[in-house]
Amino acid sequence: MKKKGYFFSMDAIAAVSILLTGIFLIFYVYTTQPIETPTYYLSEDILNVLSTTSIDNLTVDDYPYFYKLITDDIIKKTDNTILEQIGELTYSFNDDPFDEDENKQRAGALVQNITNNIIPDSSGFSFKVYRGNEEITLYTKQSILGTTPNEAKVRIGTRKIIFGTIHDTNTNQKMLWGPYVVEAITWR
């Protein structure tokens, strides 16, 4: 009789230890896995917002920089999307070489003004325009983790082609600008 009780106790101890180990592993796996899914869609979502939001849909209180550019007559067509306006500013680099740095800063400030509250602090973000063989980085936001795009575990880039028309005051005709490739890169 003593052996039956001994084996029964050993079976119960083994079963309880297996159950506890299983429960521990289940909770451990679910609590330590980082959530990386938002990073995969963040760059695509940002480009979608920039390509579908027209400037006249922005409010003065939330985006005062856009209204400063409108009142300074730098943004002439408020029915442009934000990406179209960035493209026009990028096109004007070719127009007047002395305004290139100023227009690059304006285009970067447009991106910063829109994306400032969208990009989480744990993610890095960079916005680039490819004009021919030239790569122009308009805006970069570092993550609070201090990682660069090359050091990041997850780095996702999304590209779009943009083009449009601009009114040439010298010839009084519409001119085609672009096509340019824009890229939004997010990392974590």
Side-chain angles (χ1 to χ4, degrees):
M1 284 277 194
K2 286 187 178 185
K3 285 189 178 181
K4 284 186 183 180
Y6 176 74
F7 287 117
F8 181 73
S9 298
M10 288 299 289
D11 287 344
I13 291 172
V16 168
S17 64
I18 290 173
L19 283 174
L20 290 176
T21 303
I23 291 170
F24 173 75
L25 287 176
I26 288 172
F27 284 115
Y28 180 75
V29 169
Y30 283 120
T31 57
T32 60
Q33 185 177 3
I35 300 171
E36 296 171 351
T37 308
T39 306
Y40 290 117
Y41 301 109
L42 187 57
S43 61
E44 185 177 340
D45 289 345
I46 288 169
L47 278 184
N48 285 337
V49 165
L50 295 177
S51 66
T52 58
T53 305
S54 63
I55 293 172
D56 54 6
N57 287 339
L58 302 175
T59 61
V60 178
D61 296 332
D62 293 333
Y63 304 102
Y65 185 71
F66 282 87
Y67 283 92
K68 180 185 180 308
L69 294 180
I70 291 169
T71 56
D72 292 347
D73 205 32
I74 293 166
I75 296 178
K76 294 174 179 36
K77 296 190 304 187
T78 59
D79 60 336
N80 274 355
T81 65
I82 298 165
L83 265 185
E84 288 172 335
Q85 189 57 51
I86 290 168
E88 283 188 17
L89 287 171
T90 305
Y91 173 77
S92 65
F93 293 177
N94 296 332
D95 224 10
D96 186 359
F98 298 109
D99 278 346
E100 181 170 342
D101 287 337
E102 193 173 338
N103 282 334
K104 188 187 289 187
Q105 289 174 352
R106 289 175 182 147
L110 290 178
V111 175
Q112 179 182 5
N113 199 258
I114 288 293
T115 61
N116 211 18
N117 296 326
I118 298 174
I119 308 294
D121 291 337
S122 61
S123 295
F125 174 70
S126 182
F127 188 87
K128 298 180 180 187
V129 175
Y130 297 92
R131 189 178 67 181
N133 292 331
E134 185 180 9
E135 176 184 314
I136 305 164
T137 302
L138 294 179
Y139 176 65
T140 300
K141 175 188 176 192
Q142 295 295 328
S143 70
I144 58 170
L145 305 174
T147 56
T148 64
N150 296 335
E151 299 169 338
K153 291 181 181 177
V154 178
R155 179 181 176 215
I156 304 293
T158 303
R159 292 183 175 189
K160 273 191 187 239
I161 297 174
I162 60 170
F163 58 91
T165 58
I166 192 168
H167 184 76
D168 186 1
T169 55
N170 297 332
T171 61
N172 202 23
Q173 294 179 344
K174 286 191 174 188
M175 307 257 322
L176 179 68
W177 58 262
Y180 303 138
V181 176
V182 293
E183 181 178 31
I185 304 168
T186 55
W187 66 87
R188 188 175 249 187

